[in-house]
């Protein structure tokens, strides 16, 4: 404690250390485990494992969260691009009313909207990553990237399900799995609302 302020420090802990236990977390809708609680019970951590400086733990933690929000984005974009590719392939070979789905203007519009969302998200993330590489502060921009990318990529997945119809709703179909995964990332590492709050706070 320093006055009335709490001081946090960060330490590196070997997960194989005596007294350290990793618990299984809940299984999210994607079906893939992404988290787990750490229980430290009489786990001795040497002073040499201090990460950064004493009292800088909160700053380090928040900085890592900010970077994680940016680093999640390429995975989301990759999943959205896969959903787009699958949709084009499906619409090319699936026939309706005697012609391929891809011949319909409504499908053209969906394909165009999906590609535009992917391009916009990719451009934002590349620009912000370049700023991070230059050592610039990206707290606002990282939140913008995560907010836009999560929402845009989910829109892509939603359109992909719509294009695939019943197949896109079938458990085990790749598009259905992408849809579940991308829906989850509108919450993981910060909800849409949390990102909006952070962006506004950083700007105002």
């Amino acid at each position: 404690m320093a006055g009335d302020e709490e001081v946090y420090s960060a330490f590196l802990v070997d997960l194989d250390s005596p007294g350290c236990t990793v618990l299984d977390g809940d299984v999210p809708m994607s079906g893939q485990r992404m988290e787990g609680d750490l229980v430290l019970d009489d786990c001795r951590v040497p002073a040499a494992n201090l990460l950064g400086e004493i009292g800088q733990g909160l700053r380090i933690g928040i900085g890592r969260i900010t970077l994680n929000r940016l680093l999640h984005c390429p995975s989301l974009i990759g999943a959205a691009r896969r959903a787009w590719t699958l949709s084009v392939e499906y619409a090319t070979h699936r026939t309706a009313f005697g012609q391929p789905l891809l011949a319909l203007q409504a499908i053209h519009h969906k394909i165009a909207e999906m590609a535009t969302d992917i391009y916009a998200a990719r451009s934002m993330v590349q620009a912000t990553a370049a700023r991070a590489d230059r050592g610039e502060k990206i707290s606002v921009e990282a939140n913008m990237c995560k907010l836009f990318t999560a929402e845009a990529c989910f829109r892509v997945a939603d359109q992909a399900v719509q294009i695939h119809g019943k197949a896109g709703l079938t458990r085990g179909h790749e598009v259905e799995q992408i849809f579940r995964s991308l829906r989850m990332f509108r919450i993981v590492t910060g909800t849409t609302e949390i990102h909006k709050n952070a962006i506004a706070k950083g700007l105002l």
Side-chain angles (χ1 to χ4, degrees):
M1 301 285 288
D4 292 331
E5 296 183 2
E6 293 185 356
V7 176
Y8 300 91
S9 297
F11 291 84
L12 296 174
V13 180
D14 190 331
L15 297 182
D16 293 325
S17 300
C20 178
T21 304
V22 181
L23 302 179
D24 289 337
D26 295 329
V27 179
M29 62 192 302
S30 69
Q32 301 165 317
R33 293 189 183 277
M34 298 182 59
E35 62 178 4
D37 292 330
L38 295 180
V39 176
L40 303 178
D41 184 10
D42 197 24
C43 179
R44 302 186 64 83
V45 180
N49 286 25
L50 177 70
L51 183 62
E53 300 177 0
I54 293 177
Q56 295 299 307
L58 186 60
R59 179 186 61 81
I60 293 171
I62 292 175
R64 184 60 193 177
I65 291 173
T66 297
L67 186 59
N68 276 350
R69 287 171 175 169
L70 177 64
L71 293 179
H72 274 309
C73 293
S75 296
L76 308 187
I77 293 169
R81 290 180 64 181
R82 177 59 179 165
W84 183 88
T85 298
L86 290 170
S87 297
V88 172
E89 292 175 352
Y90 182 83
T92 299
H93 298 103
R94 174 67 171 173
T95 58
F97 308 108
Q99 61 181 345
L101 281 179
L102 200 59
L104 301 176
Q105 187 181 58
I107 301 299
H108 283 188
H109 289 177
K110 291 183 183 299
I111 293 298
E113 290 168 359
M114 294 161 73
T116 300
D117 270 337
I118 293 170
Y119 179 77
R122 186 169 180 264
S123 298
M124 285 182 67
V125 172
Q126 285 182 327
T128 302
R131 292 191 60 181
D133 283 344
R134 294 194 295 268
E136 299 176 19
K137 186 177 179 180
I138 60 165
S139 55
V140 171
E141 290 79 3
N143 278 285
M144 288 179 171
C145 285
K146 174 57 169 45
L147 168 65
F148 183 83
T149 300
E151 295 291 326
C153 289
F154 178 71
R155 286 196 298 269
V156 171
D158 189 51
Q159 293 282 41
V161 170
Q162 198 72 15
I163 290 172
H164 281 78
K166 180 182 177 181
L169 299 174
T170 304
R171 180 59 64 92
H173 192 284
E174 188 173 358
V175 163
E176 182 266 347
Q177 192 279 325
I178 291 173
F179 177 90
R180 286 187 288 112
S181 178
L182 290 178
R183 177 60 183 89
M184 185 177 64
F185 275 96
R186 293 171 65 198
I187 294 177
V188 173
T189 67
T191 64
T192 292
E193 293 74 21
I194 288 294
H195 293 313
K196 290 179 180 178
N197 289 342
I199 292 166
K201 182 178 179 180
L203 293 175
L204 302 178

